[in-house]
C-alpha cells in the first residue's frame, strides 16, 4: 500500500504542476483538511504528508497530538492544528499540568513542525457530559498561559470547535443566538477569543439539515449549486448556500453576546459518499458536487454575505474514509481518499485534455467530504 501511495502521489505532483501553469491552485490559503485516524488500515504519516503535498494542501487538523504525525510533518510546509482530547480537560485546568502538557506535546516539535493552533476539546458546549463545560475555559486559559510562558503564544492560537447545535436559532442568519444554558460560559470563552485574537471554530454540516427534511430543504441550496437562494428579511442579505448562512448565524450570535470582530471559521464540513437507507442524500454525486463547489468558492477567497471581504477559512472532513468510526454508514464514508490513497470519487480528474477543463480536475484533487451537524 505504501508503494501505491507513493506512485499516486507522484502522478498527482505531475498533474498539479500542469494545472498550476493555469493558476488554478495558486493562492488557496484558506483551505484545510481534517486528517482523522480512526481506522486500522491507514497509510503511515510520511505517506500522508506526500499526499497532502501532492494536493498542494498546506493546512491540516488532527484530533490528538500523535507524535508520529508531528515528527513526520517536521520541515514541511503543512500547518497543523492539534487537539486536546475531551477527557484531558479536567487535568489541564491546572496551570502546572497545562505547562507540562505543552512542554511535552508541543514545544519539542515546534517550530520544525508548523503547529499553528490547539483545539481544546471538540464540541464541548453540546457534549452530553455537561461537566466538561465547566472545565473548558479554565483549560483554555491554562494552555494559553503555558504557551505564553514558553514564548509560543504569538505563534499558536487556542480555541475549541463547536457544533452548530450550540445555537438556539440559526434561521434566518440575523436571528442567530446561543442557547441560554451556555451563555455564561460562552461569554467567558468569547472574552478569551477577543483578547487573544483567536478564531471561533464551528463544525457546520448542511448535509444533516437536508437529510432530516429533504422535502423542505432545497438540495441545490445545500450543495452550492445554482439556485434562487434566500434573503434574510432583516439584513436583506442574499444567501445562495446554507453553509454561509450558518456561519453568519454564528457571527450574529457572537454579536448578541456583545462581541464584534471575532473571526469565525469552519473547522469541519463536507458530505458523505455513502450512507444507510435512511440517510437521504448520502451518495457519491452529492459528495462530489458539495466538495467541488466549496473548492470553487475557496479558490476565489470568498467571504460570507455578512463579511464579504474576510475570507472564510474552511477545513474539509476528511482526508480518508475511516473504517473504525462508530455510528451509521455515513460516518465511515466522508473521506476524499480510501486508505490505499485511491480517490473515493472523481469530480473531474479525467478531463485533462484541455486547459479549460483543468480547473474542475484540480478542484477534484483538493476536494473532500465531512460529517455534518446542525
Amino acid at each position: 500500500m505504501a508503494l501505491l501511495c507513493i506512485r499516486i502521489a507522484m502522478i498527482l505532483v505531475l498533474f498539479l504542476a500542469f494545472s498550476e501553469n493555469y493558476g488554478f491552485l495558486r493562492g488557496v490559503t484558506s483551505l484545510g483538511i481534517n486528517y482523522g485516524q480512526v481506522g486500522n488500515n491507514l497509510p503511515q504519516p510520511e505517506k500522508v504528508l506526500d499526499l497532502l503535498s501532492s494536493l498542494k494542501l498546506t493546512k491540516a487538523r488532527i484530533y490528538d497530538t500523535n507524535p508520529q504525525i508531528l515528527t513526520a510533518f517536521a520541515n514541511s510546509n503543512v500547518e497543523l492544528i492539534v487537539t486536546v482530547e475531551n477527557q484531558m480537560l479536567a487535568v489541564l485546568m491546572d496551570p502546572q499540568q497545562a505547562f507540562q502538557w505543552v512542554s511535552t506535546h508541543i514545544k519539542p516539535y515546534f517550530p520544525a513542525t508548523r503547529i499553528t493552533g490547539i483545539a481544546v476539546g471538540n464540541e464541548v458546549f453540546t457534549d452530553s457530559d455537561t461537566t466538561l463545560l465547566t472545565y473548558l475555559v479554565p483549560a483554555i486559559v491554562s494552555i494559553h498561559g503555558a504557551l505564553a510562558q514558553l514564548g509560543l503564544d504569538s505563534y499558536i492560537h487556542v480555541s475549541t470547535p463547536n457544533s452548530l447545535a450550540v445555537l438556539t436559532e440559526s434561521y434566518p442568519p440575523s436571528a442567530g443566538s446561543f442557547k441560554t444554558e451556555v451563555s455564561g460560559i460562552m461569554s467567558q470563552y468569547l472574552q478569551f477569543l477577543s483578547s487573544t485574537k483567536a478564531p471561533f471554530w464551528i463544525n457546520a454540516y448542511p448535509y444533516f439539515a437536508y437529510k432530516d427534511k429533504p422535502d423542505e430543504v432545497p438540495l441545490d441550496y445545500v450543495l452550492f449549486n445554482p439556485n434562487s437562494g434566500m434573503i434574510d428579511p432583516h439584513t436583506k442579505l442574499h444567501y445562495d448556500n446554507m453553509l454561509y448562512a450558518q456561519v453568519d448565524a454564528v457571527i450574529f450570535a457572537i454579536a448578541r453576546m456583545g462581541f464584534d470582530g471575532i473571526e469565525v471559521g469552519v473547522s469541519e464540513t463536507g458530505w458523505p459518499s455513502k450512507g444507510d437507507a435512511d440517510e437521504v442524500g448520502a451518495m457519491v454525486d452529492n459528495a462530489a458536487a458539495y466538495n467541488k463547489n466549496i473548492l470553487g468558492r475557496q479558490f476565489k477567497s470568498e467571504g460570507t454575505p455578512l463579511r464579504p471581504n474576510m475570507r472564510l477559512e474552511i477545513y474539509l472532513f476528511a482526508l480518508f474514509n475511516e473504517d473504525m468510526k462508530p455510528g451509521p454508514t455515513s460516518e465511515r464514508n466522508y473521506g476524499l481518499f480510501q486508505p490505499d490513497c485511491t480517490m473515493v470519487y472523481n469530480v473531474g480528474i479525467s478531463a485533462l485534455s484541455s486547459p479549460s477543463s483543468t480547473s474542475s480536475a484540480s478542484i477534484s484533487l483538493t476536494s473532500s467530504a465531512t460529517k455534518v451537524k446542525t
Side-chain angles (χ1 to χ4, degrees):
M1 184 178 71
L3 182 60
L4 177 60
C5 284
I6 293 173
R7 288 176 175 172
I8 291 173
M10 291 175 64
I11 292 171
L12 294 180
V13 166
L14 293 172
F15 168 65
L16 290 171
F18 170 80
S19 299
E20 222 175 2
N21 291 332
Y22 296 94
F24 294 119
L25 295 178
R26 293 176 180 169
V28 187
T29 59
S30 56
L31 178 71
I33 197 160
N34 286 277
Y35 168 20
Q37 305 154 56
V38 190
N40 59 11
N41 54 357
L42 298 177
Q44 291 298 307
E46 292 81 4
K47 305 303 179 292
V48 175
L49 178 60
D50 289 340
L51 186 59
L52 292 177
S53 300
S54 302
L55 302 175
K56 307 297 183 185
L57 283 170
T58 59
K59 294 177 185 285
R61 173 184 169 220
I62 60 176
Y63 292 85
D64 53 19
T65 52
N66 186 324
Q68 284 185 289
I69 295 175
L70 295 181
T71 300
F73 279 50
N75 304 310
S76 73
N77 68 338
V78 177
E79 299 178 5
L80 276 181
I81 294 177
V82 301
T83 303
V84 175
E85 296 92 331
N86 285 5
Q87 62 267 26
M88 287 296 297
L89 298 187
V91 174
L92 297 181
M93 292 172 60
D94 179 352
Q96 288 186 320
Q97 292 289 340
F99 184 84
Q100 182 62 41
W101 185 89
V102 172
S103 298
T104 303
H105 294 83
I106 303 297
K107 187 177 183 295
Y109 305 99
F110 184 90
T113 300
R114 300 178 65 186
I115 301 169
T116 59
I118 299 175
V120 181
N122 188 54
E123 300 189 350
V124 175
F125 275 97
T126 51
D127 197 279
S128 57
D129 181 0
T130 56
T131 59
L132 282 177
L133 189 53
T134 62
Y135 308 147
L136 179 63
V137 174
I140 286 175
V141 171
S142 291
I143 290 171
H144 180 264
L147 290 171
Q149 282 184 263
L150 295 166
L152 304 178
D153 56 309
S154 61
Y155 305 100
I156 302 173
H157 75 257
V158 184
S159 187
T160 189
N162 298 280
S163 165
L164 203 68
V166 76
L167 298 180
T168 187
E169 293 288 344
S170 62
Y171 182 87
S174 61
S177 57
F178 292 115
K179 292 181 175 178
T180 56
E181 57 265 35
V182 303
S183 61
I185 295 175
M186 180 61 72
S187 181
Q188 298 172 30
Y189 172 57
L190 294 175
Q191 181 62 58
F192 171 84
L193 296 184
S194 180
S195 64
T196 62
K197 308 301 181 187
F200 187 106
W201 290 112
I202 189 77
N203 296 340
Y205 293 96
Y207 160 71
F208 281 135
Y210 177 74
K211 178 182 75 72
D212 292 342
K213 297 181 179 180
D215 296 330
E216 299 178 26
V217 178
L219 182 59
D220 286 335
Y221 180 64
V222 292
L223 290 180
F224 285 80
N225 283 335
N227 67 96
S228 58
M230 60 84 67
I231 295 177
D232 188 304
H234 303 293
T235 63
K236 307 304 179 186
L237 293 173
H238 177 258
Y239 292 86
D240 66 358
N241 69 86
M242 182 177 284
L243 181 65
Y244 286 7
Q246 291 174 333
V247 171
D248 278 358
V250 173
I251 296 173
F252 273 105
I254 292 172
R256 278 193 167 80
M257 297 290 291
F259 296 89
D260 192 25
I262 294 175
E263 179 183 358
V264 175
V266 179
S267 40
E268 294 181 15
T269 195
W271 201 281
S273 59
K274 185 187 298 184
D276 295 322
D278 62 344
E279 295 187 287
V280 180
M283 61 182 67
V284 166
D285 289 350
N286 289 342
Y290 185 78
N291 291 298
K292 174 183 174 182
N293 289 334
I294 281 188
L295 267 293
R297 300 299 183 98
Q298 289 297 99
F299 288 140
K300 299 175 184 177
S301 295
E302 276 193 356
T304 66
L306 187 59
R307 291 179 174 173
N309 298 319
M310 181 182 288
R311 64 176 176 80
L312 176 63
E313 188 149 329
I314 296 177
Y315 280 71
L316 297 168
F317 185 96
L319 185 58
F320 296 108
N321 280 345
E322 299 168 68
D323 67 347
M324 295 179 68
K325 292 196 72 172
T329 297
S330 62
E331 286 293 316
R332 294 173 290 284
N333 289 278
Y334 278 98
L336 174 63
F337 286 91
Q338 299 285 8
D340 65 359
C341 297
T342 57
M343 293 186 71
V344 175
Y345 49 81
N346 185 340
V347 292
I349 192 171
S350 62
L352 292 175
S353 58
S354 67
S356 63
S357 61
T358 307
S359 177
S360 62
S362 62
I363 285 175
S364 74
L365 294 177
T366 43
S367 66
S368 162
T370 81
K371 74 175 188 181
V372 178
K373 294 174 184 166
T374 57

